[in-house]
Amino acid sequence: MSLIHRISSFYAYALRRSVASPTGRRLWLVLVLKISILLILFKVLFFPNRLQTEYSTDAERADAVRSSLINSDN
C-alpha cells in the first residue's frame, strides 16, 4: 500500500468519524461559519469594488480596465 493511499485513507476515516458524532458535526458547522464570516470580512475590507465607486457607466469602467491592461508597468 502506497504512502499517499495510507495518508488519504487515514484522513478519510477521521473525517467520517468526526461527522458521525454530534459534537463533530457541531464543530464542522462552527468551522464553516467562521471561514464564511472571515471571507466576507476580507472581501469587504481588503477588496473594495473600485470600478463601481470611481466610474459611473460601463463604458468608463471598460476604458479604465483596457487602459490599465495596456499601460501596465511590469
Side-chain angles (χ1 to χ4, degrees):
M1 195 159 149
S2 71
L3 180 65
I4 295 173
H5 185 269
R6 286 176 44 206
I7 292 172
S8 64
S9 64
F10 169 76
Y11 280 106
Y13 173 75
L15 180 64
R16 279 193 301 271
R17 292 279 306 206
S18 70
V19 174
S21 69
T23 306
R25 275 187 245 125
R26 193 172 303 128
L27 289 173
W28 276 106
L29 178 66
V30 168
L31 179 72
V32 168
L33 286 174
K34 184 188 284 190
I35 290 173
S36 300
I37 291 170
L38 281 174
L39 288 176
I40 290 170
L41 283 175
F42 286 161
K43 169 75 170 105
V44 170
L45 295 176
F46 298 118
F47 302 108
N49 192 353
R50 289 188 178 166
L51 289 176
Q52 192 72 26
T53 58
E54 295 179 9
Y55 304 103
S56 58
T57 64
D58 286 338
E60 290 176 348
R61 291 183 198 113
D63 287 338
V65 170
R66 192 176 302 114
S67 66
S68 176
L69 288 174
I70 291 172
N71 298 329
S72 65
D73 297 326
N74 289 333

